[in-house]
Amino acid sequence: ASPTVTAVKLPQGVSHKELSDLLERDYGVVIGEGLGKIKDSVFRVGHMGSIQRTDVLAVLSALEGALGSLRK
């Protein structure tokens, strides 16, 4: 566990690469890959430093939009 990074389980059928590419291209949001045994099943969101509530909401909104696009 880390107070600076949150790991999130990837939805079935969604790869880190396709989600990461879409988030960065369309929303300017960068996510990290999982590590070790969970490398292919999670992505990581960093939240260290001066993070405001609006930053968290922006990432959640971007994830909602990107995952909605990938599921169509």
Side-chain angles (χ1 to χ4, degrees), residues 43-61:
F43 63 92
R44 295 175 300 131
V45 178
H47 42 75
M48 59 190 260
S50 180
I51 302 296
Q52 305 299 316
R53 180 182 178 150
T54 54
D55 298 318
V56 174
L57 293 174
V59 170
L60 291 174
S61 178

Side-chain angles (χ1 to χ4, degrees), residues 4-27:
T4 61
V5 177
T6 297
V8 181
K9 185 171 174 49
L10 283 162
Q12 189 170 11
V14 175
S15 74
H16 173 268
K17 178 158 178 40
E18 66 184 341
L19 179 59
S20 179
D21 289 350
L22 180 59
L23 283 170
E24 188 168 2
R25 182 187 69 235
D26 292 358
Y27 300 94

